[in-house]
């Protein structure tokens, strides 16, 4: 897979990341963002409209190191990324794998 390292994202906000997602090429089916909290947790919670079970509540409490949240936006492309517009399909933490 193609990899892009963007040092300028290191100090960005959740809103900055959301804007970067909106600018992605429409032919990209998925994107993995690796970074630090509290920005990634804030971004994930901000993007999610609904979720399975209690996964959104767990994500809002804590996105631990090694945690992985999958948010989908349907088939409308990256320009459709908006606050509370996504579905939290999964939320996995290292503790949940034991």
């Amino acid at each position: 897979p193609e990899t892009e390292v963007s040092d300028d994202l290191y100090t960005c906000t959740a809103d900055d990341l959301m804007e970067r997602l909106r600018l992605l090429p429409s032919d990209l089916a998925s994107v993995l963002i690796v970074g630090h909290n509290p920005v990634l947790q804030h971004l994930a919670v901000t993007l999610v409209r609904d979720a399975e079970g209690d996964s959104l509540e767990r994500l809002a409490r804590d996105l631990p190191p090694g945690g992985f949240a999958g948010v989908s936006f349907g088939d409308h492309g990256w320009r459709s990324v908006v606050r509370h517009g996504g579905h939290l399909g999964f939320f996995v933490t290292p503790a949940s794998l034991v």
Side-chain angles (χ1 to χ4, degrees), residues 14 17 35-48 55-64 67 69 71 91:
L17 283 173
H36 299 282
N37 272 334
V39 172
L40 288 185
Q41 180 181 12
H42 184 226
L43 174 67
V45 171
T46 299
L47 291 176
V48 173
S55 57
L56 180 54
E57 291 82 14
R58 291 187 304 111
L59 175 60
R61 278 194 308 271
D62 185 34
L63 176 57
V71 181
F91 175 50

Side-chain angles (χ1 to χ4, degrees), residues 10-66:
Y10 189 78
T11 58
C12 70
T13 67
D15 287 334
D16 295 334
L17 283 173
M18 200 172 347
E19 185 58 32
R20 288 289 293 264
L21 287 171
R22 284 190 204 105
L23 297 173
L24 291 172
S26 60
D27 62 338
L28 289 178
S30 61
V31 174
L32 174 66
I33 301 173
V34 178
H36 299 282
N37 272 334
V39 172
L40 288 185
Q41 180 181 12
H42 184 226
L43 174 67
V45 171
T46 299
L47 291 176
V48 173
R49 172 190 69 246
D50 59 17
E52 305 298 323
D54 69 342
S55 57
L56 180 54
E57 291 82 14
R58 291 187 304 111
L59 175 60
R61 278 194 308 271
D62 185 34
L63 176 57

